[in-house]
Amino acid sequence: MADRTQDESGIVPFLRSGPPPDRTTWEGWQQWQRQRGTFVAAPRLSLEEYAALSPRRRALNDLHRTATHVNMGLLETPMSARVTKLMRGRLRNNALNFEPGTRDGLMISGGGFLGKTETACAAAAAFEQLWRDLHRQLLPGPVPGTRDLFVPVAYCRTPVRATPKGLCGAILDFFGAPHPKTLNGMIRQVRDSIRDHHTTALLLDDITRLRLHREDDQDTLDLVRELMDLNVTLVLIGVDIPNSGLIRGGHADPRTGQWVLGPTKAGSSFSPSAATQTERRFDLVDLDPFDYDAADGMAAFIDHLAGIEDRLRLLRTKEGMLTDGEMPEYLFRRTRGIVGLLKRLIEDGCREAIESGAEELTPELLATIPIRLGNVADRDPSAGEIPEIPAAEPAKSTPKRRRSRNTVFDDQGGRTADA
């Protein structure tokens, strides 16, 4: 098998140029959409093919395999598929509704590191691609040197210390619009931006940062509700929304199962002139972790592990490495079925497997790997955005094999002296 770690020009294809996209701006959102699915995984090499590489190419292959494990992304689960189906249906139905009035919204709830944001953004990106294709005959394309006027989807994050002005600022920053000095001016600018850019979906992430014990938080939530008057589908993403207080004062409609939220309270300080008497309706959907207590939950978790296993590029990877024996139960105990924690454990375990020369994942090796979430400065622990991490179990035996970058395999697959 040819080594595709480096092309003939000498360019390493897995290196990233510049910082990752910032989806909270229009330019960053478009950049992220263009880059989705473009990563080229490392080639699958046998032990013999790896040993035949030059020392430099082995080092590059190790880096490419590490990049492959880090960039696996979150695989679809039955839970995320349910969220995606509901969200795509809601976005399409509301976009095709030309009647005046509010549009039913969607609340996506779940714990930290369960993939709520990635699931919602992926569904919104698929809708945007469809909507752009349909509108190419109606709306002109962007003129070189100018901004694109057609922005079907806007994605924003709720500020940690939210105020109506702060939320308006986050929305305006996505569009690159100016910030008027007064709150009423900012609200008018938000309305104009959503209307002028033909925006049909507005995603507000980290919405449960609103505690509602502060007046600013209450006013910000009232503003969020009023945004539904703009013929835009509001998608609220947060941690444990039912117990956050966001739907306090609402009730579940027994006919539809939707949550019905009443009108903005009288005298709301954010914009008294914007208040209406229209009820707001939201579908509430939970993105749960895997449930290992039920037979179908166990089967779904093992299927998920099989999908991960298929993407690994360890030299000793074999069928059933993650799905046979004690490994599924071990991985569930270490992560409690939380996909984000599982992803971090697997990618750190693969790095150790490559560096140590083990080239496979075992409970003994993974027992040496603490789950570290890295830089989470953009997450609010008090809002439940960082999950509790289960303690690592004691290792039965600790792999101690180490190798330098130039170590190669012998004919039986074992390590030999440096080349």
Side-chain angles (χ1 to χ4, degrees):
M1 177 183 295
D3 176 28
R4 297 189 296 275
T5 299
Q6 186 180 31
D7 63 22
E8 295 179 357
S9 67
I11 297 176
V12 180
F14 57 87
L15 292 183
R16 183 179 65 199
S17 176
D22 178 8
R23 291 185 294 203
T24 61
T25 67
W26 179 85
E27 292 84 358
W29 177 265
Q30 295 301 314
Q31 180 187 359
W32 170 72
Q33 289 203 76
R34 290 192 299 270
Q35 293 180 358
R36 290 177 64 226
T38 61
F39 180 82
V40 179
R44 298 180 187 273
L45 299 182
S46 66
L47 294 171
E48 293 76 13
E49 289 170 329
Y50 179 86
L53 298 176
S54 68
R56 182 176 183 275
R57 285 190 173 272
R58 286 200 298 273
L60 286 175
N61 180 266
D62 289 348
L63 287 175
H64 196 173
R65 290 190 291 142
T66 299
T68 299
H69 301 147
V70 171
N71 290 282
M72 282 191 296
L74 292 176
L75 302 180
E76 186 178 71
T77 67
M79 299 77 75
S80 65
R82 182 176 67 249
V83 173
T84 298
K85 180 179 179 180
L86 178 59
M87 183 171 170
R88 286 184 177 177
R90 178 55 43 82
L91 293 180
R92 292 182 183 183
N93 288 351
N94 286 352
L96 294 170
N97 184 358
F98 300 108
E99 296 294 328
T102 61
R103 300 290 181 258
D104 290 352
L106 182 64
M107 293 181 178
I108 301 176
S109 177
F113 281 78
L114 281 172
K116 301 182 299 299
T117 296
E118 297 309 313
T119 298
C121 286
F127 164 77
E128 177 170 335
Q129 182 177 2
L130 170 66
W131 207 237
R132 282 185 177 276
D133 290 342
L134 292 175
H135 278 71
R136 293 190 194 282
Q137 303 177 46
L138 301 177
L139 297 174
V143 177
T146 65
R147 294 177 59 83
D148 190 353
L149 292 177
F150 187 45
V151 183
V153 174
Y155 170 81
C156 307
R157 300 187 66 185
T158 307
V160 174
R161 295 285 291 180
T163 64
K165 275 191 173 183
L167 180 60
C168 286
I171 297 173
L172 295 176
D173 285 344
F174 181 88
F175 293 105
H179 291 206
K181 295 182 178 180
T182 66
L183 176 57
N184 283 338
M186 295 185 77
I187 293 174
R188 284 195 297 272
Q189 185 67 59
V190 167
R191 290 175 174 269
D192 290 345
S193 295
I194 290 177
R195 181 191 65 242
D196 294 344
H197 290 283
H198 304 274
T199 302
T200 60
L202 175 60
L203 278 62
L204 295 183
D205 205 351
D206 304 320
I207 194 65
T208 42
R209 290 178 176 178
L210 301 178
R211 304 293 190 279
L212 303 185
H213 63 276
R214 298 186 309 126
E215 184 177 357
D216 281 341
D217 287 357
Q218 296 175 17
D219 290 340
T220 303
L221 180 58
D222 290 337
L223 172 60
V224 168
R225 294 180 184 182
E226 295 307 321
L227 292 176
M228 298 176 73
D229 288 342
L230 305 181
N231 292 332
V232 63
T233 302
L234 206 59
V235 180
L236 308 182
I237 308 166
V239 175
D240 194 14
I241 289 178
N243 295 317
S244 67
L246 293 180
I247 54 180
R248 184 173 58 198
H251 66 276
D253 188 327
R255 298 171 302 169
T256 64
Q258 290 180 312
W259 277 90
V260 182
L261 304 183
T264 298
K265 66 180 185 293
S268 172
S269 61
F270 79 90
S271 178
S273 60
T276 70
Q277 295 301 311
T278 306
E279 288 183 335
R280 275 75 180 168
R281 290 179 175 267
F282 287 89
D283 279 298
L284 175 63
V285 58
D286 288 311
L287 186 57
D288 299 315
F290 283 98
D291 180 8
Y292 209 65
D293 293 333
D296 55 347
M298 293 173 58
F301 185 64
I302 292 175
D303 286 344
H304 187 70
L305 294 179
I308 295 176
E309 181 183 297
D310 185 61
R311 298 189 179 193
L312 300 185
R313 294 297 188 268
L314 298 178
L315 300 178
R316 297 181 189 275
T317 296
K318 58 182 180 297
E319 185 177 356
M321 183 177 67
L322 300 183
T323 59
D324 290 345
E326 65 175 312
M327 185 63 96
E329 291 189 8
Y330 174 82
L331 291 173
F332 189 85
R333 291 196 304 269
R334 285 292 307 274
T335 64
R336 295 178 182 164
I338 299 174
V339 292
L341 298 186
L342 177 64
K343 177 179 181 295
R344 181 58 57 86
L345 178 61
I346 293 296
E347 66 184 43
D348 287 349
C350 286
R351 173 187 51 77
E352 173 63 21
I354 292 173
E355 292 182 354
S356 68
E359 291 292 350
E360 63 178 335
L361 296 181
T362 63
E364 292 75 23
L365 183 143
L366 292 176
T368 69
I369 307 296
I371 299 178
R372 297 189 178 97
L373 299 182
N375 182 14
V376 290
D378 61 342
R379 293 177 182 258
D380 184 3
S382 61
E385 295 171 14
I386 301 178
E388 180 181 352
I389 301 175
E393 300 179 0
K396 297 179 181 178
S397 61
T398 304
K400 296 295 184 182
R401 291 178 296 173
R402 294 284 175 181
R403 65 179 175 94
S404 72
R405 289 233 178 247
N406 294 331
T407 303
V408 298
F409 293 92
D410 60 22
D411 293 338
Q412 286 74 41
R415 298 291 182 181
T416 70
D418 292 351

